[in-house]
Amino acid sequence: DQCFILKVPYCNEATTCILRKEVSKSRLPLKLVTTSGTTVTDIVKSKVAPKKICDCKINEHNIPCDVSHVVYQATCRHCKDHYIGASGRPIIERLQDHESSAKIGNNRQTIGDHLMTKHHQAILGT
């Protein structure tokens, strides 16, 4: 059996545990390996700040909203479940996709499916 190595910068033990659990749940032939040295935070902070200053939630965390090629964690505001994703696109665009998916109940995307399955009444306001 062929196994692929998913090499990610070390952030902290809690994040590593979450990543390992998600990799295990995926049932893909992956082995998670964390690397020392440059951290995810270092990579994000090293990116050039966006030309246009905005007041989006991403910038509240000192992360440029136009940064791309990232691994990110989204937390459900209803139950605090976590979703870990990756995108080569600007992070603001990907998060807008997730918000749109949730609003329209798109169950073909993980976050939209989670909201429709576990929080249907909260979404519809009933």
Side-chain angles (χ1 to χ4, degrees):
D1 290 332
Q2 189 173 17
C3 183
F4 297 93
I5 294 176
L6 177 60
K7 193 172 169 182
V8 297
Y10 178 81
C11 185
N12 59 45
E13 196 57 38
T15 303
T16 301
C17 285
I18 291 168
L19 286 171
R20 286 190 198 287
K21 185 194 289 186
E22 294 300 319
V23 166
S24 177
K25 282 184 358 187
S26 76
R27 299 189 187 273
L28 295 171
L30 293 174
K31 178 179 180 181
L32 182 72
V33 175
T34 57
T35 60
S36 61
T38 306
T39 65
V40 172
T41 304
D42 294 337
I43 293 168
V44 170
K45 287 185 176 179
S46 72
K47 296 288 184 179
V48 177
K51 293 177 183 139
K52 182 177 118 182
I53 301 298
C54 68
D55 60 356
C56 70
K57 292 211 181 280
I58 296 169
N59 272 333
E60 289 175 9
H61 300 287
N62 295 321
I63 299 171
C65 60
D66 64 348
V67 68
S68 57
H69 304 287
V70 296
V71 175
Y72 59 94
Q73 175 180 305
T75 303
C76 176
R77 47 180 88 110
H78 299 286
C79 68
K80 306 302 180 206
D81 276 1
H82 298 287
Y83 167 79
I84 296 179
S87 181
R89 297 172 37 215
I91 189 67
I92 191 68
E93 289 179 16
R94 187 64 188 115
L95 294 179
Q96 287 169 343
D97 287 350
H98 284 307
E99 283 183 4
S100 174
S101 170
K103 285 178 184 171
I104 65 171
N106 179 354
N107 64 356
R108 290 180 290 162
Q109 290 195 17
T110 305
I111 292 178
D113 181 58
H114 169 83
L115 291 168
M116 289 305 293
T117 303
K118 298 202 174 181
H119 310 293
H120 186 73
Q121 291 178 340
I123 301 291
L124 297 177
T126 59

